[in-house]
Amino acid sequence: MSTGVVADNEVSETFQQFKLQAEGYKLRYYIYKIEDKKTIKIEKSGERDQTYEDFASELPENEGRYGLIDLDFTTKDGRPTSKLVLLTWNPDSASIRSKMLYSGSKEAMKSAVAGVGIHINATDASELDFETTILPAVQKFT
C-alpha cells in the first residue's frame, strides 16, 4: 500500500554521511517523523556516546516513528561489532490512521536509507527490549 509519503532529501543525504561516520555525522541514531502526512523528516539525532536505551526512550509512547541506529553489540561468538538497524516503531496505542500511515510509508523510508540490511518492527515497549528482542534479531545477521 502506497500512501504518497516521500522521504525528504535530507534523509538520504544525511544517511550517506552517517553510514560513513563522516565528520559532523558521527552520531548514534536518527529518529524520523512523518510531517503533514506527506514527508518523512529527521526529528532528532543522538550523539555518539548515547546508547540504545537512550534511543528507545526518545520514541513517543502513542505515535509512530522510524529510527535508524548504529548499534554496537557482541556477536554470539564474543566479537564486538556494529550494524545499522532500521526500526519501525508503530505502537498499538497509536491512532489507526497513524498506524496505517507509518505501515504504508515504510518502503519510502527503506528506499531513503538503501543498504540497511536489518529492519525491525516494534508495536509495544516489550518489543523494544534490547536483550530479549533487539539483540537476538541483529545477531542473526552476523
Side-chain angles (χ1 to χ4, degrees), residues 39-99:
T39 310
I40 301 168
K41 296 199 173 202
I42 296 171
E43 181 182 40
K44 300 175 184 175
S45 61
E47 294 299 321
R48 191 76 197 156
D49 61 355
Q50 292 193 297
T51 65
Y52 172 80
E53 286 72 25
D54 296 323
F55 166 76
S57 71
E58 292 279 358
L59 298 170
E61 189 176 333
N62 298 313
E63 294 178 41
R65 292 291 187 275
Y66 302 111
L68 179 67
I69 183 167
D70 187 1
L71 193 62
D72 293 331
F73 63 99
T74 304
T75 62
K76 289 179 182 174
D77 61 1
R79 293 176 292 119
T81 190
S82 69
K83 294 278 183 191
L84 292 177
V85 177
L86 178 64
L87 177 88
T88 301
W89 171 241
N90 212 354
D92 290 332
S93 57
S95 71
I96 291 172
R97 179 173 292 207
S98 173
K99 288 192 282 191

